[in-house]
């Protein structure tokens, strides 16, 4: 996978109009593995502000333009038809907090009576805070890559230890204030030592546990995302 010349780092402004529509890049109508213990649909948004060399969805994250936008009305129609059999909807990517339409999307999904979980790297805490203010029932699953000093290596040089620590400390504060709204997880990528995982676990806010995820190698460019 070639490196992009420009890394996406700009966060949607909390004052941005919530009527902006999210760009839906992929959709899985039914999944049993994206929200433990629940039957869900999964919506994928494109783009990412990190460049993790171990990213599982490299095509969606790094080259979202290769994935034509889905008809959101068709997706919403499918969700409406399936809502009685679903326990929720997961919004992931890529990094969904980059999409200015995420708050509106979460609102539309909540309006269907479905719980919503957003998977995020936590690097845009202002967006997370904004969505919680609009839709307090939203759940966030936050990927903590490793100890702060390893973030440059683990994210393809996209962020510094200081920036990672500052962003996730804000996320941890939100989690401490809203028990039950956040889950934290670390993927056991090659080179991540048990000591690294232990240090991540010690950073979490009180009352929160760390889920260790099995590493799945990135798919080759020719096989899709």
């Amino acid at each position: 996978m070639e490196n992009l010349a420009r890394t996406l780092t700009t966060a949607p402004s909390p004052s941005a109009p919530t009527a902006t529509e999210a760009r839906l890049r992929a959709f899985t109508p039914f999944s049993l593995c994206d929200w433990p213990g629940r039957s869900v649909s999964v919506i994928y948004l494109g783009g990412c502000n990190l460049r993790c060399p171990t990213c599982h969805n490299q095509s969606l994250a790094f080259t979202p333009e290769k994935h034509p936008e889905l008809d959101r009305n068709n997706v919403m129609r499918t969700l409406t038809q399936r809502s009685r059999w679903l326990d929720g909807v997961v919004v992931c990517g890529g990094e969904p907090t980059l999409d200015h339409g995420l708050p509106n999307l979460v609102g539309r999904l909540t309006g269907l009576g479905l719980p919503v979980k957003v998977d995020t790297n936590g690097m845009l805490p202002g967006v997370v805070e904004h969505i919680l203010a609009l839709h307090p029932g939203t759940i966030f699953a936050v990927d903590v890559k490793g100890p702060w000093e390893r973030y440059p290596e683990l994210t393809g040089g996209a962020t510094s230890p200081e920036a990672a620590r500052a962003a996730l400390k804000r996320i941890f504060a939100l989690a401490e204030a809203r028990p039950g709204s956040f889950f934290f997880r670390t993927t056991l990528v090659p080179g991540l030592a048990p000591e690294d995982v232990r240090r991540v676990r010690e950073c979490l806010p009180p009352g929160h546990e760390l889920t260790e995820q099995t590493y799945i190698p990135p798919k080759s460019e020719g096989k899709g995302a």
Side-chain angles (χ1 to χ4, degrees):
M1 172 69 66
E2 69 278 7
N3 291 326
L4 296 183
R6 177 175 175 270
T7 299
L8 301 174
T9 57
T10 303
S13 168
S15 61
T18 56
T20 302
E21 294 287 0
R23 296 183 174 184
L24 281 54
R25 300 291 185 175
F27 176 62
T28 300
F30 185 75
S31 171
L32 292 172
C33 62
D34 285 273
W35 193 341
R38 299 199 184 203
S39 303
V40 300
S41 290
V42 186
I43 294 173
Y44 298 84
L45 309 184
C48 191
N49 49 358
L50 302 182
R51 288 296 180 266
C52 305
T54 55
C55 178
H56 176 55
N57 282 334
Q58 290 187 359
S59 182
L60 273 171
F62 303 160
T63 54
E65 66 277 4
K66 293 183 178 180
H67 301 263
E69 290 185 49
L70 303 181
D71 186 318
R72 64 183 59 88
N73 291 327
N74 285 342
V75 172
M76 296 302 294
R77 188 177 303 113
T78 299
L79 289 171
T80 300
Q81 294 169 347
R82 293 173 173 265
S83 60
R84 71 181 66 181
W85 298 290
L86 293 174
D87 300 317
V89 181
V90 174
V91 182
C92 60
E95 175 49 47
T97 61
L98 283 173
D99 194 310
H100 290 259
L102 179 62
N104 185 51
L105 175 61
V106 172
R108 292 184 68 178
L109 296 173
T110 301
L112 296 178
L114 292 168
V116 179
K117 177 171 76 75
V118 177
D119 292 349
T120 178
N121 58 34
M123 297 304 294
L124 299 177
V127 178
V128 174
E129 187 172 13
H130 179 54
I131 291 174
L132 282 172
L134 292 173
H135 312 294
T138 310
I139 302 297
F140 288 89
V142 182
D143 292 310
V144 184
K145 305 297 181 180
W148 313 130
E149 69 274 11
R150 296 205 61 187
Y151 259 74
E153 169 196 355
L154 294 170
T155 66
T159 191
S160 67
E162 295 77 17
R165 182 180 187 279
L168 285 163
K169 285 296 183 181
R170 287 180 62 186
I171 293 289
F172 293 164
L174 287 171
E176 190 168 1
R178 294 174 176 268
S181 295
F182 288 83
F183 300 105
F184 297 97
R185 56 198 191 182
T186 293
T187 301
L188 304 179
V189 300
L192 197 68
E195 173 65 13
D196 295 326
V197 178
R198 183 189 66 79
R199 293 175 61 193
V200 170
R201 185 173 287 108
E202 290 178 348
C203 289
L204 298 185
H208 290 78
E209 298 181 356
L210 183 69
T211 297
E212 298 179 18
Q213 295 192 137
T214 301
Y215 170 66
I216 301 175
K219 297 180 180 179
S220 65
E221 182 67 20
K223 295 182 180 178

